[in-house]
Amino acid sequence: KCHLPPGVMLQLQDHVDNSLNFWTRPDVETCTPWGAPIMWDGMFDPKVYDEHHKKMGTSVALTVFAVGRYLKTYLKDFLTSAETYFMVGLQVTYYVFTDVPGEVPLLQLQAGRTLEIIRVDQHKRWQDISMMRMRTIADTIETHMRHQHQYIFCLDVDQVFVGPFGSEALGESVALLHAYFYRSTPGDYTYDRNPNSTAYMVTGDFYYHAAVFGGTWQRVRNLTESCHQGIMKDKSNNVEALWHDESHLNKYFWLHKPSKVLSPEYCWAREIGYNSDVRIQRLLWAEKHYSTLRT
Ligand code: 5GW
Ligand code: MN
């Protein structure tokens, strides 16, 4: 239910969000304390969003990094499944960032969808591969995306779409509830607890998963630039946040509240098992091969 403190108004920036029904899912939290919707299946009619965005000619950039062994392991399934389920019917451009452009699979894309490949360096430490995404996304928004797309979504590559991930997920500033923590309380969240890090947090609203975030290009540029600056400041002080870019993302969304929050239906983990809150699985964590990938 939407339990808003007295005087707090819903902050529905996009007028299509006014079609949301917050009371169809009494089993879960559907509204943040600051009035942003938490998108659970059943609260919305996807057709209303799609019609709006088709009329507006909305164009979405989807960024994904596939560096080193992650290219061969994950990219093809990620892209193939995105063609079936991600923002179907809208204009979508995939921005694939990789160290070996020649090995990006050539797929037949649906009408109105294109793919751009951008070469990036392979960093030695995986923590740096993960963290450098913030800087690279900010740069590419400035050089490419801002002229062509209203919205940017930034995703991990080690995931597979298994259900519709549609235009209802678009918003000014969009964060995802982490599947493991969405029913936990701030004391259990794995925020960075080191006061010497810029990502340090004592408490917060939710634990957000860095595998999916998005928003307008303006807001995503601000987010990625801020996180990058925090990461660089930490490096100069010889500290690294507990969960790298994810810790910085959580700090950012604590200081700059997202306008829309995605339920864990938008990034579920199979190993959690059956959960009645999750009525539809839209994106799943791919199987991890830690022993071969993290050596
Ligand atoms: C490799 C080893 C350990 C951790 C990360 C990498 C790695 C990540 C890599 O070698 N290549 C690469 O492209 N990445 C990108 O960073 C992928 O887009 C990946 O989805 C993202 C975050 O790394 P993940 O998915 O391994 O992190 P978790 O937090 O999902 O486990
Ligand atoms: Mn991942």
Side-chain angles (χ1 to χ4, degrees):
K1 282 201 197 110
C2 195
H3 298 290
L4 290 179
V8 174
M9 295 286 288
L10 276 179
Q11 290 182 349
L12 301 179
Q13 286 137 335
D14 208 330
H15 77 267
V16 265
D17 284 338
N18 286 313
S19 67
L20 283 166
N21 188 337
F22 294 87
W23 299 276
T24 52
R25 289 296 303 264
D27 54 326
V28 288
E29 198 180 347
T30 58
C31 187
T32 69
W34 61 93
I38 307 176
M39 304 297 278
W40 287 93
D41 187 53
M43 289 168 61
F44 56 87
D45 177 357
K47 288 198 288 290
V48 172
Y49 284 90
D50 285 346
E51 270 160 33
H52 169 75
H53 285 289
K54 276 179 198 160
K55 198 173 74 205
M56 302 294 287
T58 296
S59 176
V60 183
L62 173 54
T63 73
V64 67
F65 287 71
V67 175
R69 281 175 280 191
Y70 274 48
L71 197 163
K72 280 240 148 64
T73 312
Y74 297 117
L75 186 61
K76 190 163 187 227
D77 289 347
F78 177 89
L79 291 173
T80 308
S81 64
E83 277 297 281
T84 310
Y85 294 116
F86 182 79
M87 307 280 167
V88 174
L90 295 192
Q91 296 174 58
V92 171
T93 300
Y94 301 100
Y95 287 85
V96 174
F97 299 88
T98 181
D99 53 332
V100 273
E103 284 181 25
V104 173
L106 297 171
L107 300 173
Q108 182 69 45
L109 301 178
Q110 306 282 346
R113 301 168 78 99
T114 56
L115 188 148
E116 303 239 354
I117 304 172
I118 296 176
R119 211 193 71 80
V120 292
D121 291 329
Q122 145 104 282
H123 290 263
K124 271 206 270 317
R125 296 175 63 246
W126 63 261
Q127 294 88 341
D128 290 328
I129 295 179
S130 191
M131 291 191 295
M132 68 78 173
R133 291 183 293 172
M134 293 296 185
R135 166 80 194 271
T136 308
I137 292 167
D139 288 351
T140 314
I141 288 171
E142 193 53 37
T143 55
H144 295 66
M145 301 177 201
R146 61 177 288 182
H147 309 293
Q148 299 168 58
H149 314 286
Q150 292 79 50
Y151 295 98
I152 321 275
F153 257 94
C154 308
L155 269 65
D156 272 12
V157 74
D158 57 340
Q159 354 195 41
V160 184
F161 293 90
V162 294
F165 193 121
S167 58
E168 75 281 355
L170 298 172
E172 284 279 316
S173 167
V174 182
L176 167 80
L177 297 183
H178 195 293
Y180 277 100
F181 299 104
Y182 77 99
R183 281 201 176 269
S184 307
T185 46
D188 298 325
Y189 299 155
T190 56
Y191 294 144
D192 184 84
R193 309 287 184 180
N194 173 4
N196 297 324
S197 167
T198 57
Y200 173 65
M201 297 172 69
V202 178
T203 187
D205 305 303
F206 299 101
Y207 192 75
Y208 302 114
H209 192 177
V212 176
F213 61 88
T216 60
W217 67 259
Q218 293 92 333
R219 297 287 287 266
V220 176
R221 183 177 65 182
N222 194 56
L223 179 161
T224 49
E225 261 170 15
S226 300
C227 289
H228 170 65
Q229 264 154 29
I231 290 165
M232 295 316 282
K233 183 132 196 281
D234 283 359
K235 278 196 187 292
S236 72
N237 293 327
N238 248 317
V239 293
E240 193 160 273
L242 181 64
W243 285 107
H244 320 108
D245 45 302
E246 186 164 82
S247 303
H248 292 276
L249 183 86
N250 272 280
K251 180 69 172 279
Y252 181 88
F253 279 134
W254 168 237
L255 300 175
H256 312 268
K257 309 293 188 206
S259 68
K260 182 174 276 187
V261 174
L262 302 179
S263 72
E265 296 166 340
Y266 288 85
C267 188
W268 189 244
R270 270 197 197 92
E271 59 265 31
I272 295 177
Y274 176 77
N275 181 320
S276 61
D277 293 342
V278 175
R279 296 192 184 167
I280 181 170
Q281 300 179 341
R282 305 176 186 279
L283 178 68
L284 290 177
W285 302 14
E287 214 179 299
K288 271 284 182 190
H289 312 277
Y290 281 114
S291 53
T292 52
L293 290 170
R294 289 202 180 182
T295 48

